[in-house]
Amino acid sequence: MPRRPIRSLTLAAALTLGGGLAASLGLFVGVSHLEYDNMALAFAQRADERVAAVRQGMNGAIEVLAVTNQLFSNGEPVSRERFADFTARLLERHQFIQAFHYHRVVRADERAAVEAELQHVRPGAVLTEKTPGGLAPAAPRGRYHVIEYVEPMQGNEGAFGLDLGRDASLMTALDGAKSSGQPTATSLFTLVRTGTVAFDLVMPVFGKRGELLGNTAAVVRGKQLVHESLLGAGLLDRDDIFVSVYAGEQADPAALLLSTGPTAPRARPALAGWLRPDHGIRATVLQAGGRPWRVEVAAAPRPFLADHMASVALLVGGILVTLLGTAFVQSAGMRARKVQQLVRQRTSDLRRSNRRLIEDMAARERAEKALLQSEQRFRQLVAMSSDWYWEQDKDFRFTMITGGFTEKSGVAVEGLLGKTRWEYVPGLLDSEGGREHLVRMQAHEAFTNLEYQIVDDRGDTRWFLVNGQPIFDDQGALQGYRGTGSDITERKLTEQRVHHVAQHDVLTGLPNRSLLQDRLGQALA
């Protein structure tokens, strides 16, 4: 009677299958989270760029009004021709400004004379005020807050002679500007003619005895200001990141200035959040013009595979290797059973020994092949990473640099091997950080976030950030160092641009008071 073929999965094959799948899933989750960490770091840098651009735009508008206020703050009379000539250049350069105003405080006994002056500019002009039915002649009261100068006049005729003394938002902003001495923004309002959302920046003008003469104001189109700030920094040409800016601390739709896409948090299941963390939402509240401005930045949804090629490849490769290993173990188990049957049938020790020897050699060859494949996958993972890996001997000289260092850094690997870091980075030991780095290495301690500047083979200046840790043998003797490095040139350039903007006047490009205070502090030190 013939024997039935054995088709059940052997215990060894079942353990191989379960262990391989568990290891593949664990590696997939670990590498996937590393990929998310890298994505989160890149997103944080891009979000900071957009926040800095919005802050720069707000500060630019504030500086423009501060410059305009200087016309009136020196106590000298300002003619309408001078005001128009001065503001024309600012309006041409800053398209987001709807108009410049000068508001004059007028007593009741001065009303007739002021209306006569207004009529010289625009016949028939009188003091007006806003009513539910539109503009109407201002009612008698003890004091008025009148828009005396308007530039440009075309398109803003309705504001000429308008009394804003009962505008609570403007008066509150003016009180804040008097207290802080800085331009202050009003709440949002809608321009009647264009329907555009805007706000006023106001700054008081005082007389020689400290009395309030009036204030200068700039009507700013909020959406256009934010749009030009981001566009000028080259941050509106990407559709994979969204920006929303609100005039306030909360994400109030009524206070929305600009939105390039949805930035609200998305509800997701708990398991999905653990496997795929949502790092792509960041909210920052700026303080500019005496008011808070909320900037939300969110990453656009992307296909999972687009950002996780390495982890998916690792998972697929792990499953394939597991299946092959399981098939091999199952085949080996089946073969062993068949061998046992042949041994019982033929009782030939020699043939049994030869068969096992052949099987062992084949298994060793497969194991060596699997090891080679594993090493190749590791090298591919390193090549796909944005960082590189390096090793040094006990004399701190480089013995190996991998991860496509030459392509990522612009420096030939051959020029670094056999050298210490301070031998190929001129002046590293002249800095405090470089000397501290040498002391830590001589003390056989790990180091992190070491930044230094070099000139690559093309003559470009690059910034690198490296981390390292010592390697010891079983007796505790130092064998060398190993670690990772990355190129942070783009981040450094961004920091330098932000620092330059913070310390130079946006209108003239000359150093501002912030830079003067910094230099005075250095000189005093």
Side-chain angles (χ1 to χ4, degrees):
M1 181 177 180
R3 292 179 177 270
R4 296 178 61 186
I6 301 175
R7 294 189 175 89
S8 62
L9 193 65
T10 64
L11 177 60
L15 293 176
T16 302
L17 178 62
L21 291 178
S24 299
L25 181 60
L27 289 175
F28 165 75
V29 173
V31 174
S32 177
H33 276 261
L34 288 177
E35 291 170 332
Y36 273 114
D37 290 341
N38 290 334
M39 293 165 56
L41 178 60
F43 171 77
Q45 294 174 345
R46 297 168 66 188
D48 289 342
E49 290 176 351
R50 283 151 179 80
V51 172
V54 174
R55 179 186 287 110
Q56 178 183 350
M58 293 292 181
N59 291 338
I62 291 172
E63 290 186 14
V64 168
L65 179 62
V67 170
T68 306
N69 188 264
Q70 295 297 319
L71 283 175
F72 298 89
S73 62
N74 58 13
E76 298 179 0
V78 179
S79 66
R80 296 184 183 276
E81 292 75 12
R82 184 183 177 189
F83 183 76
D85 181 66
F86 185 85
T87 56
R89 289 174 292 177
L90 296 177
L91 289 168
E92 182 179 357
R93 183 173 180 180
H94 304 284
Q95 299 293 322
F96 55 83
I97 296 180
Q98 172 74 16
F100 285 101
H101 295 168
Y102 172 66
H103 304 168
R104 176 180 172 183
V105 177
V106 178
R107 298 191 308 273
D109 58 351
E110 297 175 328
R111 175 171 179 170
V114 170
E115 287 182 338
E117 293 178 11
L118 298 180
Q119 291 169 5
H120 282 296
V121 179
R122 190 163 177 256
V126 295
L127 299 192
T128 59
E129 64 181 359
K130 293 180 180 179
T131 66
L135 294 180
R141 56 178 61 95
R143 193 172 75 165
Y144 305 89
H145 207 83
V146 180
I147 300 179
E148 185 179 25
Y149 290 7
V150 179
E151 288 296 335
M153 178 67 74
Q154 184 177 1
N156 299 289
E157 295 86 350
F160 188 63
L162 180 63
D163 175 27
L164 298 176
R166 296 193 299 171
D167 189 326
S169 175
L170 186 138
M171 291 296 104
T172 300
L174 184 57
D175 290 339
K178 289 190 292 184
S179 301
S180 64
Q182 298 293 327
T184 304
T186 67
S187 57
L188 297 182
F189 59 87
T190 302
L191 296 175
V192 177
R193 184 170 182 177
T194 62
T196 304
V197 176
F199 60 90
D200 279 345
L201 282 172
V202 298
M203 192 170 183
V205 176
F206 297 101
K208 295 182 179 180
R209 293 175 295 179
E211 73 278 12
L212 179 66
L213 300 180
N215 67 272
T216 53
V219 182
V220 180
R221 294 187 288 267
K223 180 177 180 179
Q224 187 172 350
L225 168 62
V226 177
H227 184 274
E228 290 184 7
S229 300
L230 295 173
L231 184 64
L235 301 176
L236 284 181
D237 57 349
R238 300 290 299 271
D239 57 0
D240 58 346
I241 189 166
F242 302 140
V243 181
S244 297
V245 181
Y246 299 87
E249 293 187 10
Q250 305 300 324
D252 184 2
L256 180 64
L257 293 179
L258 174 70
S259 179
T260 61
T263 57
R266 298 179 290 272
R268 303 192 315 157
L271 181 60
W274 178 74
L275 290 174
R276 187 176 183 180
D278 192 358
H279 63 272
I281 298 177
R282 185 169 183 176
T284 303
V285 177
L286 306 177
Q287 292 294 332
R291 293 179 59 87
W293 309 87
R294 183 182 180 89
V295 182
E296 293 184 352
V297 183
R302 286 171 54 88
F304 183 85
L305 190 61
D307 298 315
H308 297 275
M309 288 297 297
S311 56
V312 171
L314 180 63
L315 177 62
V316 173
I319 293 175
L320 292 177
V321 171
T322 299
L323 294 177
L324 291 175
T326 302
F328 171 74
V329 173
Q330 177 70 7
S331 176
M334 297 292 292
R335 189 178 295 112
R337 293 182 181 183
K338 292 180 180 179
V339 168
Q340 291 175 0
Q341 294 175 1
L342 291 175
V343 169
R344 296 189 190 98
Q345 294 174 0
R346 300 181 183 182
T347 64
S348 174
D349 295 339
L350 180 59
R351 178 170 296 183
R352 182 180 60 188
S353 300
N354 290 337
R355 186 180 297 276
R356 289 180 177 177
L357 180 60
I358 292 173
E359 292 173 354
D360 291 341
M361 292 177 63
R364 181 175 180 180
E365 182 179 355
R366 293 188 185 95
E368 291 176 351
K369 184 177 180 181
L371 181 60
L372 179 60
Q373 291 175 349
S374 177
E375 182 181 355
Q376 290 176 349
R377 288 195 300 273
F378 172 75
R379 293 183 179 275
Q380 291 173 354
L381 288 175
V382 172
M384 288 186 287
S385 173
S386 61
D387 298 338
W388 56 81
Y389 173 81
W390 54 267
E391 290 185 359
Q392 294 176 332
D393 59 17
K394 62 182 179 180
D395 296 324
F396 313 133
R397 299 186 181 276
F398 287 101
T399 59
M400 182 180 70
I401 304 178
T402 63
F405 174 78
T406 300
E407 293 78 11
K408 297 173 182 176
S409 66
V411 179
V413 173
E414 295 77 9
L416 273 64
L417 296 179
K419 295 182 179 180
T420 63
R421 183 170 285 106
W422 43 87
E423 287 179 347
Y424 89 90
V425 181
L428 178 61
L429 297 183
D430 295 335
S431 65
E432 182 179 353
R435 290 190 294 270
E436 181 181 351
H437 167 64
L438 177 59
V439 171
R440 294 186 70 89
M441 294 193 71
Q442 290 175 341
H444 302 169
E445 296 177 353
F447 63 92
T448 59
N449 299 329
L450 172 64
E451 298 181 2
Y452 57 86
Q453 179 180 353
I454 70 165
V455 177
D456 63 15
D457 296 342
R458 295 187 296 270
D460 297 330
T461 300
R462 309 285 286 267
W463 279 90
F464 294 159
L465 183 144
V466 296
N467 303 287
Q469 62 180 6
I471 307 171
F472 302 97
D473 60 13
D474 295 338
Q475 288 72 36
L478 179 69
Q479 298 296 305
Y481 268 77
R482 63 187 173 195
T484 60
S486 58
D487 188 336
I488 60 170
T489 303
E490 291 297 327
R491 191 189 76 188
K492 284 293 184 179
L493 293 178
T494 300
E495 292 175 354
Q496 292 173 3
R497 288 195 294 269
V498 172
H499 184 71
H500 181 272
V501 169
Q503 295 190 340
H504 290 77
D505 183 76
V506 68
L507 179 62
T508 64
L510 297 176
N512 61 14
R513 182 169 57 188
S514 176
L515 181 60
L516 175 61
Q517 293 175 345
D518 179 71
R519 294 297 185 268
L520 288 175
Q522 294 180 13
L524 291 174

